[in-house]
Amino acid sequence: LLHQNGYNRPEERRPDGFATNAIHVGSEPSQETGAVMPAISLSTTFKQDAVGVHKGRLFWNGYEYSRSGNPNRDAFEKAISSLEFGKYGIAFASGSATTATVIQSLGPGAHVLAVNDVYGGTFRYLTRVAEETQGLEVTFVDLQTASDKEILSKIRPNTKLVWIESPTNPTLRVIDVPHIIRVVHSHPSRPLVLVDNTFLSPFYSSPLLLGADIVMHSVTKYINGHSDVVMGVLVLPERHLQLAERLRYLQNASGAIPSPFDCWLALRGVKTLPLRMKQHGLNALRIASRLAESPYVQEVIYPGLVNHPRHAVALASLSPHAAKFIDSLPAETLTHGVPYGGMVSFRIKGGEGAAEKFLTKTRLFTLAESLGGVESLAELPALMTHGSIPKEEREKIGINEDLIRLSIGCEEAEDLIDDIEQALENVVGESA
Ligand SMILES: C=C(NCc1c(COP(=O)(O)O)cnc(C)c1O)C(=O)O
């Protein structure tokens, strides 16, 4: 996979550097105290040596006021930039604040082309908030099936950005990211391509290596990884210094910044990202394989399964470190497919209400929104995370009330399988 996917830059060939960078970048021992872990800098303001003269920062001028710059935020931004093979990291108070700031940067009357299945909050911001506040125009397109010609025909003179999630939340559509980027960048106006990499995390996907202009994460999810921080981040490559400066300006001017403590927690979370993502992926593959055999399940959706219609596309855009991880696994682990992140969606049998009943019967899976923590979560997108999408829109893309979304945690896989099977038996088995 590592060679099949053609990774040939030195840093790409050193996928083992990923785990090392996750632990060390942004956490260099303090020059002053020797502290191995960064201190938490809560001060909101910083002494200036003379008017406008302050201590140097990483990418921009010195610290003057915590909204404009903070050591813990710098450390986190540096760490996540390194894990995404980028140059500029810009962190925000949430994934949604990140979305808002990116859209704000496009200016009035811009047009965005978005994949037709995105997080419900992203849909809400694009179609309801930005339309009102800045006259944003949005076109949703199934980037799984649209031809190159169709995609290019949807690009308008005011198209500034193409918004991709892959796999998408919650139907796990797999977009051929490098191909779509090539098509969009072939248009004379060369719109920017943003990849919301939340679901795969920097471990399974490196969108900047695939040609993306911006990578975005809800850090709330896998990057922090412990369901105790709400945060977001953008990472941009070196070629986009001007755009990074614009976004950094808006980060300060709009002020949707994360707290120093949240940045400190997220930096701590990042250190175990590789370990956690491997466990998430191995557990998800086991559970998806068992769900595929269950008499109580209509359909299981996990692009890591070899019989998923877009499995080959998924494999082709794996990151170098994920490719190396998969190449290292024993053959018997890969009988049904490969680890591909921790998100599994499935359609339950048993008719109306079966999904809601299932969600009250699990004992280890917690019924809750969000995803990416070490604990396993389960939810009903149609009525929960994607409830803000009009029903007819939701059902057009398969977000029906039989679709359950699982965030597979790092517990023992057998415990998770037992929990799902007892809940299915309880709900569908008894009603059969
Ligand atoms: C809360 C959920 N999603 C948040 C999210 C967001 C928003 O992130 P927040 O940190 O929750 O604001 C952005 N992008 C994706 C792909 C997301 O999944 C959820 O799907 O349960």
Side-chain angles (χ1 to χ4, degrees), residues 145-343:
T145 57
S147 66
D148 296 359
K149 193 157 169 274
E150 190 186 347
I151 293 168
L152 289 168
S153 72
K154 291 181 185 299
I155 294 177
R156 306 170 184 171
N158 61 332
T159 302
K160 298 282 180 68
L161 185 75
V162 174
W163 191 287
I164 298 176
E165 282 183 16
S166 183
T168 62
N169 180 0
T171 63
L172 303 179
R173 284 171 162 82
V174 178
I175 309 308
D176 186 344
V177 173
H179 178 74
I180 297 296
I181 289 171
R182 281 193 297 274
V183 171
V184 172
H185 281 172
S186 73
H187 189 277
S189 64
R190 209 182 188 284
L192 295 169
V193 179
L194 176 145
V195 176
D196 182 339
N197 200 24
T198 300
F199 265 38
L200 285 179
S201 90
F203 182 74
Y204 285 101
S205 167
S206 306
L208 295 186
L209 295 187
L210 304 176
D213 299 296
I214 308 171
V215 185
M216 167 189 163
H217 286 279
S218 166
V219 173
T220 313
K221 312 300 185 290
Y222 286 111
I223 290 178
N224 176 62
H226 294 77
S227 302
D228 53 13
V229 166
V230 174
M231 233 174 105
V233 74
L234 296 172
V235 180
L236 287 84
E238 189 155 17
R239 69 177 184 274
H240 280 311
L241 170 60
Q242 204 179 356
L243 178 58
E245 287 180 329
R246 167 89 173 133
L247 290 161
R248 173 80 72 197
Y249 171 82
L250 289 171
Q251 177 198 47
N252 177 49
S254 304
I257 55 159
S259 76
F261 184 49
D262 279 347
C263 293
W264 186 85
L265 281 173
L267 182 63
R268 182 167 69 161
V270 156
K271 296 178 193 301
T272 57
L273 181 70
L275 295 171
R276 292 185 282 108
M277 293 317 294
K278 290 175 183 176
Q279 195 58 46
H280 286 298
L282 290 168
N283 281 359
L285 177 60
R286 290 272 306 274
I287 286 162
S289 311
R290 292 291 281 271
L291 283 170
E293 295 158 4
S294 169
Y296 307 133
V297 169
Q298 290 175 63
E299 176 194 11
V300 59
I301 310 172
Y302 186 66
L305 287 178
V306 69
N307 59 10
H308 184 282
R310 303 280 285 179
H311 181 69
V313 176
L315 284 189
S317 52
L318 278 170
S319 71
H321 19 280
K324 182 170 188 218
F325 162 55
I326 290 167
D327 287 346
S328 71
L329 293 172
E332 58 270 23
T333 314
L334 306 174
T335 315
H336 300 288
V338 302
Y340 187 75
M343 300 305 293

